[in-house]
Amino acid sequence: MALQNLWLEGIDVDAALYDIRDDDTQAWEVRALAGASIGIDPIAGLRAVIELSTAMERIVRGEIEGKTQLASILGRAGDDYQRCLWYTVAGRDPLAVATSFGELEKLMAARAMLWVEADDRGLMPAKSDNPYWTAAPEGPRAIFSERFELGEHWTPFLPSALLPED
């Protein structure tokens, strides 16, 4: 195997997530989301973040389907990773949240690319252990409708159809 291929052997794909989590110059939301993503499967984690990020972007753009998508994500069976991400930043400034998910998406994409590149070369990268012990939700799973209410801080981004009725 050529020397240029060996740099990926044992590379820790979680290193950037640790760096962002511990960097107090980063936005708090980005730090929290990075910390919650350490150890997540690189490919499944990227897909999960893209799905959640897309829902957030759609809500910020005022699309009704964004809330429907978010309700579906939060209420489905499966591990608690996406719920962890959402509830970590729920109630925060909508633009900061949407921006933070965009930043996390970039980090997770780079992480997944390293993972795939190493695998394609027959090398074994490293990552932290998956923090989720089960593929099922822990505790009761909530049931959501697309009519759930977002806080009033979302008002500038939502069309009247998505705002709570007086």
Side-chain angles (χ1 to χ4, degrees), residues 5-37:
N5 289 333
L6 291 178
W7 72 273
L8 288 169
E9 182 66 35
I11 193 167
D12 184 353
V13 297
D14 286 329
L17 293 173
Y18 280 108
D19 287 347
I20 297 296
R21 182 201 66 187
D22 297 340
D23 182 355
D24 60 5
T25 65
Q26 296 288 328
W28 180 91
E29 295 86 355
V30 175
R31 294 177 65 201
L33 294 174
S37 299

mmCIF file of all heavy atoms in Angstrom, residues 5-37:
data_model
loop_
_atom_site.group_PDB
_atom_site.id
_atom_site.type_symbol
_atom_site.label_atom_id
_atom_site.label_comp_id
_atom_site.label_asym_id
_atom_site.label_seq_id
_atom_site.Cartn_x
_atom_site.Cartn_y
_atom_site.Cartn_z
ATOM 1 N N ASN A 5 -1.594 6.588 1.043
ATOM 2 C CA ASN A 5 -2.875 6.007 1.442
ATOM 3 C C ASN A 5 -2.961 5.746 2.939
ATOM 4 O O ASN A 5 -4.048 5.582 3.478
ATOM 5 C CB ASN A 5 -3.128 4.692 0.700
ATOM 6 C CG ASN A 5 -3.429 4.910 -0.760
ATOM 7 O OD1 ASN A 5 -3.934 5.957 -1.146
ATOM 8 N ND2 ASN A 5 -3.113 3.929 -1.571
ATOM 9 N N LEU A 6 -1.829 5.680 3.620
ATOM 10 C CA LEU A 6 -1.817 5.290 5.023
ATOM 11 C C LEU A 6 -2.227 6.395 5.993
ATOM 12 O O LEU A 6 -2.503 6.122 7.154
ATOM 13 C CB LEU A 6 -0.429 4.767 5.404
ATOM 14 C CG LEU A 6 -0.061 3.433 4.768
ATOM 15 C CD1 LEU A 6 1.350 3.033 5.176
ATOM 16 C CD2 LEU A 6 -1.061 2.356 5.138
ATOM 17 N N TRP A 7 -2.286 7.627 5.559
ATOM 18 C CA TRP A 7 -2.617 8.719 6.481
ATOM 19 C C TRP A 7 -4.000 8.555 7.091
ATOM 20 O O TRP A 7 -4.265 9.071 8.169
ATOM 21 C CB TRP A 7 -2.466 10.080 5.801
ATOM 22 C CG TRP A 7 -3.532 10.391 4.785
ATOM 23 C CD1 TRP A 7 -3.528 10.049 3.478
ATOM 24 C CD2 TRP A 7 -4.738 11.109 5.020
ATOM 25 N NE1 TRP A 7 -4.668 10.500 2.861
ATOM 26 C CE2 TRP A 7 -5.429 11.165 3.799
ATOM 27 C CE3 TRP A 7 -5.310 11.709 6.133
ATOM 28 C CZ2 TRP A 7 -6.664 11.777 3.658
ATOM 29 C CZ3 TRP A 7 -6.547 12.334 5.992
ATOM 30 C CH2 TRP A 7 -7.205 12.366 4.768
ATOM 31 N N LEU A 8 -4.881 7.811 6.432
ATOM 32 C CA LEU A 8 -6.238 7.615 6.957
ATOM 33 C C LEU A 8 -6.328 6.485 7.979
ATOM 34 O O LEU A 8 -7.324 6.376 8.678
ATOM 35 C CB LEU A 8 -7.209 7.330 5.813
ATOM 36 C CG LEU A 8 -7.550 8.518 4.925
ATOM 37 C CD1 LEU A 8 -8.284 8.063 3.679
ATOM 38 C CD2 LEU A 8 -8.372 9.526 5.692
ATOM 39 N N GLU A 9 -5.287 5.639 8.057
ATOM 40 C CA GLU A 9 -5.329 4.515 8.999
ATOM 41 C C GLU A 9 -5.396 5.034 10.431
ATOM 42 O O GLU A 9 -4.529 5.777 10.880
ATOM 43 C CB GLU A 9 -4.113 3.608 8.829
ATOM 44 C CG GLU A 9 -4.115 2.406 9.745
ATOM 45 C CD GLU A 9 -5.242 1.413 9.450
ATOM 46 O OE1 GLU A 9 -5.606 1.225 8.275
ATOM 47 O OE2 GLU A 9 -5.757 0.822 10.413
ATOM 48 N N GLY A 10 -6.454 4.676 11.122
ATOM 49 C CA GLY A 10 -6.617 5.049 12.519
ATOM 50 C C GLY A 10 -7.018 6.496 12.763
ATOM 51 O O GLY A 10 -7.121 6.923 13.909
ATOM 52 N N ILE A 11 -7.268 7.258 11.702
ATOM 53 C CA ILE A 11 -7.657 8.657 11.883
ATOM 54 C C ILE A 11 -8.967 8.719 12.680
ATOM 55 O O ILE A 11 -9.874 7.924 12.477
ATOM 56 C CB ILE A 11 -7.793 9.389 10.528
ATOM 57 C CG1 ILE A 11 -7.883 10.895 10.754
ATOM 58 C CG2 ILE A 11 -8.989 8.889 9.723
ATOM 59 C CD1 ILE A 11 -7.707 11.712 9.487
ATOM 60 N N ASP A 12 -9.031 9.629 13.620
ATOM 61 C CA ASP A 12 -10.217 9.769 14.466
ATOM 62 C C ASP A 12 -11.182 10.720 13.772
ATOM 63 O O ASP A 12 -10.972 11.931 13.742
ATOM 64 C CB ASP A 12 -9.835 10.309 15.845
ATOM 65 C CG ASP A 12 -11.004 10.381 16.805
ATOM 66 O OD1 ASP A 12 -12.160 10.138 16.381
ATOM 67 O OD2 ASP A 12 -10.783 10.694 17.983
ATOM 68 N N VAL A 13 -12.265 10.178 13.223
ATOM 69 C CA VAL A 13 -13.221 11.009 12.499
ATOM 70 C C VAL A 13 -14.006 11.921 13.433
ATOM 71 O O VAL A 13 -14.667 12.846 12.982
ATOM 72 C CB VAL A 13 -14.177 10.172 11.616
ATOM 73 C CG1 VAL A 13 -13.405 9.435 10.531
ATOM 74 C CG2 VAL A 13 -15.022 9.229 12.445
ATOM 75 N N ASP A 14 -13.929 11.677 14.739
ATOM 76 C CA ASP A 14 -14.614 12.533 15.707
ATOM 77 C C ASP A 14 -13.764 13.706 16.181
ATOM 78 O O ASP A 14 -14.244 14.564 16.925
ATOM 79 C CB ASP A 14 -15.048 11.712 16.929
ATOM 80 C CG ASP A 14 -16.229 10.813 16.636
ATOM 81 O OD1 ASP A 14 -17.067 11.188 15.786
ATOM 82 O OD2 ASP A 14 -16.334 9.743 17.254
ATOM 83 N N ALA A 15 -12.504 13.778 15.747
ATOM 84 C CA ALA A 15 -11.589 14.810 16.254
ATOM 85 C C ALA A 15 -12.131 16.215 16.040
ATOM 86 O O ALA A 15 -12.070 17.057 16.954
ATOM 87 C CB ALA A 15 -10.218 14.660 15.602
ATOM 88 N N ALA A 16 -12.671 16.504 14.865
ATOM 89 C CA ALA A 16 -13.194 17.856 14.607
ATOM 90 C C ALA A 16 -14.398 18.152 15.497
ATOM 91 O O ALA A 16 -14.578 19.288 15.946
ATOM 92 C CB ALA A 16 -13.571 18.007 13.140
ATOM 93 N N LEU A 17 -15.232 17.133 15.766
ATOM 94 C CA LEU A 17 -16.382 17.346 16.657
ATOM 95 C C LEU A 17 -15.915 17.686 18.073
ATOM 96 O O LEU A 17 -16.479 18.576 18.721
ATOM 97 C CB LEU A 17 -17.286 16.107 16.676
ATOM 98 C CG LEU A 17 -18.009 15.793 15.367
ATOM 99 C CD1 LEU A 17 -18.729 14.450 15.471
ATOM 100 C CD2 LEU A 17 -18.970 16.899 14.984
ATOM 101 N N TYR A 18 -14.879 17.004 18.544
ATOM 102 C CA TYR A 18 -14.310 17.329 19.854
ATOM 103 C C TYR A 18 -13.754 18.761 19.856
ATOM 104 O O TYR A 18 -13.952 19.511 20.808
ATOM 105 C CB TYR A 18 -13.187 16.355 20.233
ATOM 106 C CG TYR A 18 -13.657 15.028 20.770
ATOM 107 C CD1 TYR A 18 -13.545 13.866 20.011
ATOM 108 C CD2 TYR A 18 -14.202 14.928 22.050
ATOM 109 C CE1 TYR A 18 -13.965 12.644 20.514
ATOM 110 C CE2 TYR A 18 -14.622 13.712 22.557
ATOM 111 C CZ TYR A 18 -14.498 12.574 21.782
ATOM 112 O OH TYR A 18 -14.921 11.367 22.283
ATOM 113 N N ASP A 19 -13.035 19.112 18.779
ATOM 114 C CA ASP A 19 -12.453 20.455 18.698
ATOM 115 C C ASP A 19 -13.527 21.536 18.744
ATOM 116 O O ASP A 19 -13.382 22.528 19.458
ATOM 117 C CB ASP A 19 -11.628 20.606 17.426
ATOM 118 C CG ASP A 19 -10.310 19.851 17.471
ATOM 119 O OD1 ASP A 19 -9.907 19.404 18.578
ATOM 120 O OD2 ASP A 19 -9.683 19.691 16.402
ATOM 121 N N ILE A 20 -14.582 21.367 17.985
ATOM 122 C CA ILE A 20 -15.668 22.364 17.956
ATOM 123 C C ILE A 20 -16.367 22.411 19.310
ATOM 124 O O ILE A 20 -16.636 23.487 19.850
ATOM 125 C CB ILE A 20 -16.679 22.056 16.834
ATOM 126 C CG1 ILE A 20 -16.018 22.150 15.461
ATOM 127 C CG2 ILE A 20 -17.906 22.961 16.924
ATOM 128 C CD1 ILE A 20 -15.517 23.527 15.089
ATOM 129 N N ARG A 21 -16.651 21.247 19.878
ATOM 130 C CA ARG A 21 -17.321 21.193 21.185
ATOM 131 C C ARG A 21 -16.541 21.955 22.247
ATOM 132 O O ARG A 21 -17.117 22.625 23.100
ATOM 133 C CB ARG A 21 -17.497 19.736 21.619
ATOM 134 C CG ARG A 21 -18.223 19.594 22.946
ATOM 135 C CD ARG A 21 -17.972 18.270 23.607
ATOM 136 N NE ARG A 21 -16.566 18.150 23.992
ATOM 137 C CZ ARG A 21 -16.034 17.039 24.465
ATOM 138 N NH1 ARG A 21 -16.767 15.959 24.592
ATOM 139 N NH2 ARG A 21 -14.761 16.995 24.800
ATOM 140 N N ASP A 22 -15.224 21.875 22.183
ATOM 141 C CA ASP A 22 -14.377 22.468 23.224
ATOM 142 C C ASP A 22 -13.895 23.888 22.902
ATOM 143 O O ASP A 22 -13.187 24.483 23.714
ATOM 144 C CB ASP A 22 -13.157 21.562 23.465
ATOM 145 C CG ASP A 22 -13.562 20.192 23.991
ATOM 146 O OD1 ASP A 22 -14.685 20.053 24.513
ATOM 147 O OD2 ASP A 22 -12.754 19.254 23.861
ATOM 148 N N ASP A 23 -14.288 24.427 21.759
ATOM 149 C CA ASP A 23 -13.830 25.744 21.327
ATOM 150 C C ASP A 23 -14.810 26.826 21.776
ATOM 151 O O ASP A 23 -15.874 26.991 21.185
ATOM 152 C CB ASP A 23 -13.682 25.760 19.799
ATOM 153 C CG ASP A 23 -13.161 27.068 19.258
ATOM 154 O OD1 ASP A 23 -12.986 28.035 20.032
ATOM 155 O OD2 ASP A 23 -12.938 27.126 18.035
ATOM 156 N N ASP A 24 -14.437 27.576 22.806
ATOM 157 C CA ASP A 24 -15.373 28.562 23.346
ATOM 158 C C ASP A 24 -15.526 29.799 22.463
ATOM 159 O O ASP A 24 -16.280 30.710 22.798
ATOM 160 C CB ASP A 24 -15.026 28.951 24.782
ATOM 161 C CG ASP A 24 -13.645 29.564 24.931
ATOM 162 O OD1 ASP A 24 -12.973 29.786 23.915
ATOM 163 O OD2 ASP A 24 -13.250 29.832 26.082
ATOM 164 N N THR A 25 -14.863 29.835 21.317
ATOM 165 C CA THR A 25 -15.109 30.921 20.363
ATOM 166 C C THR A 25 -16.246 30.577 19.403
ATOM 167 O O THR A 25 -16.706 31.439 18.661
ATOM 168 C CB THR A 25 -13.844 31.267 19.542
ATOM 169 O OG1 THR A 25 -13.498 30.152 18.715
ATOM 170 C CG2 THR A 25 -12.686 31.642 20.459
ATOM 171 N N GLN A 26 -16.660 29.310 19.421
ATOM 172 C CA GLN A 26 -17.783 28.870 18.572
ATOM 173 C C GLN A 26 -19.106 29.217 19.250
ATOM 174 O O GLN A 26 -19.189 29.310 20.475
ATOM 175 C CB GLN A 26 -17.729 27.351 18.353
ATOM 176 C CG GLN A 26 -16.530 26.868 17.597
ATOM 177 C CD GLN A 26 -16.594 27.236 16.130
ATOM 178 O OE1 GLN A 26 -17.661 27.321 15.534
ATOM 179 N NE2 GLN A 26 -15.428 27.468 15.541
ATOM 180 N N ALA A 27 -20.156 29.344 18.450
ATOM 181 C CA ALA A 27 -21.496 29.581 18.993
ATOM 182 C C ALA A 27 -21.887 28.409 19.892
ATOM 183 O O ALA A 27 -21.586 27.250 19.595
ATOM 184 C CB ALA A 27 -22.504 29.732 17.852
ATOM 185 N N TRP A 28 -22.578 28.718 20.982
ATOM 186 C CA TRP A 28 -22.979 27.692 21.937
ATOM 187 C C TRP A 28 -23.765 26.585 21.253
ATOM 188 O O TRP A 28 -23.554 25.399 21.532
ATOM 189 C CB TRP A 28 -23.839 28.312 23.051
ATOM 190 C CG TRP A 28 -24.256 27.287 24.046
ATOM 191 C CD1 TRP A 28 -23.597 26.949 25.179
ATOM 192 C CD2 TRP A 28 -25.396 26.427 23.974
ATOM 193 N NE1 TRP A 28 -24.256 25.935 25.825
ATOM 194 C CE2 TRP A 28 -25.376 25.595 25.097
ATOM 195 C CE3 TRP A 28 -26.430 26.272 23.060
ATOM 196 C CZ2 TRP A 28 -26.343 24.636 25.339
ATOM 197 C CZ3 TRP A 28 -27.397 25.309 23.293
ATOM 198 C CH2 TRP A 28 -27.349 24.505 24.426
ATOM 199 N N GLU A 29 -24.680 26.939 20.356
ATOM 200 C CA GLU A 29 -25.524 25.935 19.688
ATOM 201 C C GLU A 29 -24.683 24.966 18.863
ATOM 202 O O GLU A 29 -24.927 23.755 18.891
ATOM 203 C CB GLU A 29 -26.572 26.627 18.801
ATOM 204 C CG GLU A 29 -27.589 27.453 19.553
ATOM 205 C CD GLU A 29 -27.144 28.886 19.843
ATOM 206 O OE1 GLU A 29 -25.977 29.248 19.536
ATOM 207 O OE2 GLU A 29 -27.962 29.651 20.379
ATOM 208 N N VAL A 30 -23.705 25.481 18.145
ATOM 209 C CA VAL A 30 -22.838 24.622 17.330
ATOM 210 C C VAL A 30 -22.035 23.695 18.230
ATOM 211 O O VAL A 30 -21.896 22.498 17.951
ATOM 212 C CB VAL A 30 -21.894 25.457 16.434
ATOM 213 C CG1 VAL A 30 -20.921 24.570 15.673
ATOM 214 C CG2 VAL A 30 -22.683 26.321 15.471
ATOM 215 N N ARG A 31 -21.520 24.229 19.332
ATOM 216 C CA ARG A 31 -20.752 23.410 20.273
ATOM 217 C C ARG A 31 -21.596 22.278 20.841
ATOM 218 O O ARG A 31 -21.149 21.130 20.933
ATOM 219 C CB ARG A 31 -20.221 24.282 21.406
ATOM 220 C CG ARG A 31 -19.192 25.306 20.944
ATOM 221 C CD ARG A 31 -18.735 26.202 22.058
ATOM 222 N NE ARG A 31 -18.017 25.388 23.045
ATOM 223 C CZ ARG A 31 -17.839 25.751 24.297
ATOM 224 N NH1 ARG A 31 -18.311 26.900 24.747
ATOM 225 N NH2 ARG A 31 -17.178 24.971 25.121
ATOM 226 N N ALA A 32 -22.830 22.595 21.220
ATOM 227 C CA ALA A 32 -23.716 21.584 21.802
ATOM 228 C C ALA A 32 -24.077 20.511 20.775
ATOM 229 O O ALA A 32 -24.068 19.307 21.095
ATOM 230 C CB ALA A 32 -24.984 22.248 22.341
ATOM 231 N N LEU A 33 -24.381 20.916 19.553
ATOM 232 C CA LEU A 33 -24.731 19.947 18.514
ATOM 233 C C LEU A 33 -23.533 19.067 18.154
ATOM 234 O O LEU A 33 -23.693 17.859 17.942
ATOM 235 C CB LEU A 33 -25.263 20.667 17.272
ATOM 236 C CG LEU A 33 -26.592 21.400 17.440
ATOM 237 C CD1 LEU A 33 -26.930 22.198 16.188
ATOM 238 C CD2 LEU A 33 -27.713 20.444 17.801
ATOM 239 N N ALA A 34 -22.342 19.649 18.100
ATOM 240 C CA ALA A 34 -21.136 18.855 17.816
ATOM 241 C C ALA A 34 -20.905 17.832 18.923
ATOM 242 O O ALA A 34 -20.640 16.657 18.651
ATOM 243 C CB ALA A 34 -19.919 19.769 17.666
ATOM 244 N N GLY A 35 -21.033 18.255 20.168
ATOM 245 C CA GLY A 35 -20.848 17.328 21.285
ATOM 246 C C GLY A 35 -21.849 16.191 21.269
ATOM 247 O O GLY A 35 -21.508 15.042 21.568
ATOM 248 N N ALA A 36 -23.084 16.494 20.894
ATOM 249 C CA ALA A 36 -24.125 15.463 20.839
ATOM 250 C C ALA A 36 -23.926 14.498 19.674
ATOM 251 O O ALA A 36 -24.555 13.436 19.636
ATOM 252 C CB ALA A 36 -25.503 16.125 20.731
ATOM 253 N N SER A 37 -23.042 14.836 18.747
ATOM 254 C CA SER A 37 -22.832 14.008 17.555
ATOM 255 C C SER A 37 -21.608 13.115 17.640
ATOM 256 O O SER A 37 -21.385 12.273 16.760
ATOM 257 C CB SER A 37 -22.717 14.921 16.321
ATOM 258 O OG SER A 37 -23.910 15.653 16.158
#
